[in-house]
Amino acid sequence: MYKLLRAPFLPVTYSRWLHLCVPLLLLAIWMFINPRWPWMPLLIVIPFGFVPWVRLAEGLQAQFLLTPQNRETDLGGGRGDGGTGGPSGISTTPSAGWNDRWRTLLWLEVRLVVAGAAMFATVWLPLMSVDFIATALGHPLNPDLALPFTPPRWAAALLAPVPLVVLIVLVILLGEMITGIARRLLGPSAAERLTALEARTEQLLERTRIARELHDSIGHALTVAVVQAGAARAAKDPEFTDRALNAIEETGRAALEDLERVLLVLRESARPPSQRPTLVEADRLLESARASGAQVDAQLSGALAELPGPVTREAYRILQEALTNVLRHCGPVPVRVRVEVSTGRLDLEVTNPLPARPVVTSRSGSGLRGMRERAALLGGEAETGPHEGSWRVHARLPLERIR
């Protein structure tokens, strides 16, 4: 009851009213053409229901007018749903299959029917109030109202505001109903929900990895700095203090380098999930590695732009992880990158000199394990470890079973 009493004072009530009235433009145009068949627009909209972009247009209009309170959140970037509705629950993507097309067609038909009821109430109820006022002033009641009785003047005066109150209540109820129907018929399909879930999972994995990188590098540096500073102050020895300051300086410089590398990963990860990077954009990674001081010898061959979406996206992440590991464990060293698209397979190889400190090759390494898991999900394999005096990451991803 409180929600119903509050609704007349909310802007969304009137934006929904506008949404209910918009389809009547089609009816108005048709009535000029052939007023004897007012139901014809129900047939006219049938072909439009099968046009993929109609669902996008209807979704945008529904978000703007039916759920404007969620629109800012939907556009806020960071929701990671790929246009699948966000808080509004209304999708803004074209129809991807026949299920979406049939739902769009049903939406258009239902919208016309509900709009007809809303427009009838919008026109008839205010006219009733006007006639009640006229009756209260001594004019005869309009016979077109088809009321079962003719009220006296005092009763007409009391009844005058009732149709307007009924109109507002009907608009509120019809607005709630059409919003619920929109979420049902224009909401994300199962495929869109799966895509959004995959994008969200990818985003969470990236954030977890970045948090781990920051914890390992910056946390260690701060711990060393705090311990060294406390020890220097307690020792009150100029020579020891000098050594402690040198240690703090070296640790801080290394932490800043680690932070810059993590921020490079963060900048790569902070793009909308619907625009996840592919191997076509591999130059971005190579230039980032070169900017960090690495000497990158890259050779990319084959039709990279024609690779299946899952393969090119996961290969990009494998290449990103491989280059990040080189910078993290070896620093600015020569790196050799080879990407080749052959018949039925994509080969990706990254090699670099072995670091002075041995690299942990067990399967407990999350970065190396992540590369192997990405390859395995596509039916391929990724090998990581020493090879002919160098450290090598070699991924083989099949193409035939993905297409």
Side-chain angles (χ1 to χ4, degrees), residues 10-83:
L10 298 178
V12 67
T13 298
Y14 302 96
S15 67
R16 289 175 177 178
W17 196 351
L18 175 60
H19 184 273
L20 290 169
C21 294
V22 167
L24 272 299
L25 295 174
L26 175 62
L27 177 60
I29 294 173
W30 177 255
M31 292 301 287
F32 279 108
I33 299 173
N34 192 340
R36 293 179 298 176
W37 295 350
W39 45 267
M40 184 58 69
L42 292 173
L43 300 179
I44 294 176
V45 300
I46 290 178
F48 293 96
F50 299 106
V51 179
W53 290 97
V54 170
R55 181 168 180 258
L56 182 147
E58 290 292 321
L60 288 173
Q61 187 182 141
Q63 279 194 0
F64 274 116
L65 297 178
L66 297 181
T67 59
Q69 69 275 17
N70 299 128
R71 183 62 186 170
E72 183 177 352
T73 307
D74 288 340
L75 293 177
R79 63 190 170 99
D81 64 359

Side-chain angles (χ1 to χ4, degrees), residues 34-336:
N34 192 340
R36 293 179 298 176
W37 295 350
W39 45 267
M40 184 58 69
L42 292 173
L43 300 179
I44 294 176
V45 300
I46 290 178
F48 293 96
F50 299 106
V51 179
W53 290 97
V54 170
R55 181 168 180 258
L56 182 147
E58 290 292 321
L60 288 173
Q61 187 182 141
Q63 279 194 0
F64 274 116
L65 297 178
L66 297 181
T67 59
Q69 69 275 17
N70 299 128
R71 183 62 186 170
E72 183 177 352
T73 307
D74 288 340
L75 293 177
R79 63 190 170 99
D81 64 359
T84 58
S88 69
I90 299 173
S91 178
T92 54
T93 57
S95 298
W98 282 105
N99 181 52
D100 290 340
R101 292 184 175 94
W102 284 112
R103 292 166 67 203
T104 304
L105 172 58
L106 182 57
W107 159 254
L108 294 176
E109 299 289 350
V110 171
R111 188 181 177 190
L112 278 175
V113 173
V114 177
M119 182 56 69
F120 178 78
T122 300
V123 173
W124 187 67
L125 291 174
L127 288 178
M128 181 179 290
S129 286
V130 171
D131 280 336
F132 278 143
I133 294 173
T135 300
L137 296 176
H139 298 282
L141 189 67
N142 188 344
D144 293 337
L145 294 179
L147 292 177
F149 65 96
T150 300
R153 294 176 61 180
W154 64 269
L158 294 176
L159 290 173
V162 173
L164 298 180
V165 174
V166 173
L167 174 61
I168 293 299
V169 172
L170 282 176
V171 167
I172 294 171
L173 296 178
L174 289 175
E176 288 287 343
M177 182 178 72
I178 199 67
T179 303
I181 294 173
R183 289 190 174 114
R184 184 76 174 180
L185 297 180
L186 297 180
S189 62
E192 290 170 340
R193 289 192 182 95
L194 180 60
T195 300
L197 180 61
E198 290 175 348
R200 179 62 176 166
T201 302
E202 179 74 19
Q203 188 180 67
L204 291 175
L205 289 173
E206 292 290 345
R207 289 179 178 177
T208 300
R209 186 163 68 90
I210 290 169
R212 185 173 59 249
E213 293 278 351
L214 290 174
H215 176 271
D216 292 346
S217 60
I218 307 303
H220 172 74
L222 291 176
T223 301
V224 170
V226 170
V227 171
Q228 292 283 359
R233 185 175 61 179
K236 297 181 180 180
D237 181 354
E239 184 178 352
F240 182 85
T241 300
D242 186 61
R243 291 198 304 271
L245 290 176
N246 286 334
I248 292 173
E249 180 183 5
E250 293 175 2
T251 304
R253 185 178 294 110
L256 286 175
E257 293 175 357
D258 283 341
L259 178 61
E260 179 61 28
R261 292 164 190 161
V262 170
L263 290 178
L264 288 175
V265 177
L266 181 60
R267 283 193 288 268
E268 288 296 326
S269 303
R271 49 197 296 131
S274 59
Q275 301 175 2
R276 291 167 60 194
T278 65
L279 272 183
V280 177
E281 305 168 75
D283 288 342
R284 185 195 306 270
L285 291 177
L286 302 178
E287 291 303 320
S288 295
R290 292 187 180 108
S292 299
Q295 303 172 19
V296 181
D297 173 21
Q299 181 179 340
L300 285 73
S301 60
L304 299 180
E306 299 178 5
L307 289 173
V311 172
T312 187
R313 289 193 294 266
E314 297 305 322
Y316 180 95
R317 290 305 189 193
I318 293 173
L319 176 60
Q320 181 185 45
E321 181 66 30
L323 292 176
T324 300
N325 284 343
V326 171
L327 295 174
R328 178 171 175 78
H329 297 291
C330 303
V333 298
V335 184
R336 182 173 177 267

